[in-house]
Amino acid sequence: YVRVEKVPGGEIEESRVLDGVMLNKDVVHPKMKRSIKNPRIILLDCPLEYKKGESQTNIEIQNEADWNRILEIEEEQIRGLCDKIIEFKPDLVFTEKGVSDLASHFLLKAGVSAIRRLRKTDNNRIA
């Protein structure tokens, strides 16, 4: 399989053939590593975000403690999800969906780079 990928800028002499898959994506956090030799990769087709209710959900907040509890629940869910991923000791995580700021924070602390909103076809090629 061969595909021509045009990237703006540069000279024609800088063109080259790559053996592998090329993605025009950036990591979700500026402090994440951009260059990794022989990375351990996890491919996901699910979001690394707080799972909202399937149907319409109404929450009545009476005071500040209720709001803080909602935020704690969200953080616990995201932390649990990231901890499960980090158990596999990946260097790089690709996901077809989004990555929340909280998830990128936990992954960054563990030294894991993340790339979001990957096309399904690209995810399959990497696999």
Side-chain angles (χ1 to χ4, degrees):
Y1 178 80
V2 176
R3 179 176 170 188
V4 176
E5 186 71 33
K6 294 173 247 162
V7 179
E11 301 293 325
I12 191 77
E13 292 79 22
E14 293 177 288
S15 300
R16 59 182 173 204
V17 176
L18 300 177
D19 183 22
V21 179
M22 182 189 141
L23 305 169
N24 195 6
K25 295 281 182 180
D26 199 6
V27 292
V28 296
H29 194 281
K31 291 186 179 175
M32 288 181 171
K33 290 183 269 182
R34 285 184 170 80
S35 178
I36 305 167
K37 298 260 188 216
N38 298 319
R40 289 175 53 104
I41 299 173
I42 290 184
L43 302 173
L44 302 172
D45 64 351
C46 62
L48 292 176
E49 298 173 317
Y50 181 65
K51 188 172 194 255
K52 297 166 184 74
E54 297 269 330
S55 60
Q56 201 171 17
T57 306
N58 292 325
I59 300 173
E60 189 171 315
I61 299 172
Q62 298 284 326
N63 53 38
E64 189 179 337
D66 294 342
W67 177 251
N68 288 336
R69 182 61 191 138
I70 291 169
L71 293 177
E72 284 174 21
I73 291 169
E74 181 177 344
E75 184 175 335
E76 287 167 12
Q77 275 204 333
I78 298 290
R79 184 186 301 271
L81 189 59
C82 289
D83 285 346
K84 286 178 187 173
I85 291 169
I86 293 165
E87 282 177 18
F88 291 99
K89 296 181 176 67
D91 298 308
L92 187 57
V93 174
F94 286 107
T95 180
E96 295 174 19
K97 310 284 194 232
V99 178
S100 71
D101 290 342
L102 204 52
S104 66
H105 169 74
F106 292 133
L107 293 173
L108 176 65
K109 279 177 50 178
V112 178
S113 295
I115 295 177
R116 66 181 168 199
R117 296 190 186 104
L118 195 66
R119 281 183 271 157
K120 189 163 202 63
T121 54
D122 291 335
N123 210 359
N124 290 337
R125 279 193 199 111
I126 294 168

